[in-house]
Amino acid sequence: MSSSAPETAPRGFRHASVLLDGAVEALVHDPCGIYLDGTFGRGGHSRAILARLAPQGRLLAMDRDPQAIAEAASIDDPRFAIAQDEFARLGELARREGLHGRLSGVLLDVGVSSPQLDDPERGFSFLRDGPLDMRMDPGRGESAADFLARAKEAEIAEVFKRYGEERYARRLARAVVARRGERPFERTADLAEVIKAAHPAWEKGKHPATRVFQALRIQVNGELDQLDAALAAALEALAPGGHLVVISFHSLEDRRVKRFIREHVRGDTGLPRGMPIREDQIERRLEALGKAQRPHAAEVDANPRARSAVMRVARKLA
């Protein structure tokens, strides 16, 4: 754990933190508390959290993207420290810091950041040609190009369908496998053109490769498994009364967050289903704080990428 980072941070790619004021207001209920930002990104939420903390407050942050870690070097504040790691491991970080079960709040801003999308070298976007990578930590794991080179057609189709909710998953996977037989995919524009040519039904206002690129990104980074693990770890790391704030950007993520909160609001009896129980036998661990929140029209106008954001907030009971 360190409050320092490499001296040079990536510049030139703007990032507007989504639901900034609402998320920080929901998170920071005790200015003297200890908080964790599981997705530092370019630090918008972290800086706003620090602005609300008292001198006794503390903020830990995490991110697996080395460019995010470099950006954190610009924060010179003794109350702040950051670790390069995936947010699924936030429980391990809390234990190392002696803060397990003591956190006042955990913030998870799920998904890819604008600088990642805007930098062609990261390979996240079909709008800008670059290496077909898509890894949030380019130094670890399998790139999108590697996955498409080795996966069988059925596996590619399943990824397109499950993570992209792509109606023509099998047809597009077949086109990918046919083309890679001639030469491997190495560039984002190359893949986008193949998908564009093979897709039979373009949606108005949406590039035909949108769902495929989302699916590959989720596959390469294990995003949904990461989210499930992070939610479970956050619940254990929070102190009673601590707040969990999660911002998601597509339905696959939001459904998981909604289900997680609902299950822990309803509670676990430990008894077989259908058996009569008393209210005091139900172990409820979370209380939902309000309804799901979405960005106001003014924020969406200023930052169109905010339009799909959903924020859910819960308080740990015990």
Side-chain angles (χ1 to χ4, degrees), residues 15 17 36-47 50 59-65 67-75 80-83 85 87 107-109 113:
H15 177 64
S17 298
L36 187 145
D37 181 354
T39 45
F40 178 82
R42 294 304 179 267
H45 287 116
S46 281
R47 290 182 175 90
L50 287 167
L59 174 63
L60 310 181
M62 306 178 71
D63 207 297
R64 52 177 160 171
D65 187 337
Q67 293 184 353
I69 301 302
E71 179 66 28
S74 64
I75 297 181
F80 174 77
I82 190 165
D85 209 340
F87 66 13
L107 170 65
L108 304 175
D109 183 3
S113 69

Side-chain angles (χ1 to χ4, degrees), residues 46-281:
S46 281
R47 290 182 175 90
I49 293 167
L50 287 167
R52 285 179 174 252
L53 293 185
Q56 306 94 315
R58 184 177 174 191
L59 174 63
L60 310 181
M62 306 178 71
D63 207 297
R64 52 177 160 171
D65 187 337
Q67 293 184 353
I69 301 302
E71 179 66 28
S74 64
I75 297 181
D76 182 15
D77 192 317
R79 301 170 300 168
F80 174 77
I82 190 165
Q84 184 176 358
D85 209 340
E86 52 202 29
F87 66 13
R89 295 161 58 90
L90 69 86
E92 296 174 35
L93 173 62
R95 286 188 176 90
R96 288 199 306 270
E97 296 294 311
L99 299 173
H100 187 69
R102 295 176 54 200
L103 294 178
S104 303
V106 173
L107 170 65
L108 304 175
D109 183 3
V110 186
V112 66
S113 69
S114 290
Q116 289 170 328
L117 285 170
D118 292 339
D119 184 353
E121 293 304 308
R122 303 302 299 272
F124 285 102
S125 177
F126 46 79
L127 297 176
R128 298 170 177 83
D129 185 37
L132 187 59
D133 195 314
M134 298 194 189
R135 290 172 294 175
M136 292 185 180
D137 180 352
R140 298 174 61 182
E142 179 180 57
S143 70
D146 292 338
F147 171 75
L148 291 180
R150 63 90 181 156
K152 295 182 179 179
E153 181 179 318
E155 184 180 1
I156 295 172
E158 177 62 21
V159 166
F160 290 175
K161 180 179 180 181
R162 177 180 299 176
Y163 297 147
E165 300 180 297
E166 173 55 67
R167 179 180 177 185
Y168 299 99
R170 285 196 288 182
R171 178 171 181 155
L172 299 181
R174 190 159 56 246
V176 166
V177 171
R179 215 314 297 278
R180 82 178 181 192
E182 302 170 10
R183 66 182 188 278
F185 288 96
E186 296 179 349
R187 309 288 296 183
T188 55
D190 186 18
L191 175 62
E193 284 302 311
V194 169
I195 297 300
K196 184 178 177 180
H199 205 296
W202 296 11
E203 298 176 54
K204 185 177 180 180
K206 181 178 288 188
H207 192 289
T210 300
R211 295 179 183 274
V212 164
F213 270 65
Q214 172 184 298
L216 284 172
R217 193 199 81 216
I218 292 173
Q219 165 68 24
V220 165
N221 294 292
E223 291 181 31
L224 297 183
D225 290 341
Q226 288 273 323
L227 176 58
D228 289 341
L231 291 170
L235 180 58
E236 299 305 320
L238 284 168
H243 288 192
L244 173 64
V245 179
V246 187
I247 303 171
S248 57
F249 287 84
H250 58 73
S251 59
L252 292 175
E253 296 167 342
D254 184 54
R255 284 199 294 266
R256 277 172 150 77
V257 177
K258 181 179 180 180
R259 183 176 64 241
F260 178 84
I261 293 175
R262 183 178 63 234
E263 288 175 353
H264 289 285
V265 166
R266 289 177 176 174
D268 180 20
T269 66
L271 300 173
R273 179 171 293 185
M275 180 175 289
I277 57 173
R278 300 189 310 272
E279 183 71 16
D280 61 4
Q281 291 178 297

